Amino acid sequence: MNQAQPPVPGSGRPIRPIWKRLHVRIVLLFLALLLVVQVVSLVAVRGVIETNAKRQIDAEFRSAEAILGQLIAQNAQKLAEGARLVSADFGFRSAVASDDQATILDALENQSGRIAATAALFTDKNQRMVASTVTDAAALLPLVQANLRRRADG
């Protein structure tokens, strides 16, 4: 069933569909090759960019971690020095010697304000809570005890 194509006007030849023309096939082939090259390039470049971004983010996190560790250590050193100064203060020692919890709490609040501490606790020699400037001091007491044990061991 070979149906005859209508002839091209003035030439006597049949009209061929556009996709069967040689120049159209060549253009389509080059477009397909260009698309493949673009997709391969996109995948390769994206992979390289992602790898470099991950590497840079890891380096930034390590740097930030080191800086944060230094800041925390400096703050701990500052607070420890402040605590040593407070414990040597005659007024604070007098308040502790009074054995009055309200007086000790008042002195503790004053001294913690002087060294800009967000929390201050006072324990007896058996590490029992005597006074605290925070309402939930029971949660902080295990941290204080662990710190004291670590200092005693080291």
Side-chain angles (χ1 to χ4, degrees):
M1 283 191 108
N2 206 357
Q3 229 176 14
Q5 300 274 334
V8 175
S11 72
R13 293 185 323 204
I15 299 176
R16 285 190 289 159
I18 196 163
W19 61 87
K20 288 192 176 185
R21 295 181 185 169
L22 180 61
H23 69 280
V24 171
R25 287 183 184 177
I26 291 172
V27 168
L28 290 176
L29 176 65
F30 277 105
L31 284 175
L33 287 173
L34 182 63
L35 180 66
V36 168
V37 168
Q38 289 291 326
V39 167
V40 168
S41 297
L42 173 72
V43 169
V45 168
R46 185 174 180 189
V48 168
I49 289 173
E50 189 173 322
T51 301
N52 285 339
K54 285 180 181 178
R55 196 174 301 137
Q56 189 172 6
I57 288 170
D58 286 343
E60 294 275 336
F61 275 140
R62 281 192 295 275
S63 174
E65 180 183 27
I67 291 170
L68 183 62
Q70 288 175 349
L71 289 174
I72 289 172
Q74 285 175 354
N75 191 36
Q77 184 179 5
K78 176 185 159 200
L79 289 174
E81 182 63 30
R84 278 190 289 279
L85 290 173
V86 166
S87 65
D89 183 71
F90 179 76
F92 185 74
R93 286 177 173 243
S94 298
V96 169
S98 74
D99 205 27
D100 178 37
Q101 188 171 5
T103 305
I104 294 172
L105 181 59
D106 187 47
L108 196 60
E109 287 173 346
N110 289 338
Q111 298 298 337
S112 67
R114 279 179 45 192
I115 63 171
T118 56
L121 296 106
F122 182 74
T123 60
D124 63 9
K125 63 182 177 182
N126 296 323
Q127 297 180 1
R128 288 185 302 237
M129 183 74 62
V130 175
S132 171
T133 60
V134 292
T135 55
D136 192 20
L140 294 176
L141 191 57
L143 296 172
V144 172
Q145 292 168 339
N147 189 26
L148 290 172
R149 277 193 298 274
R150 189 174 60 239
R151 285 182 182 213
D153 293 342

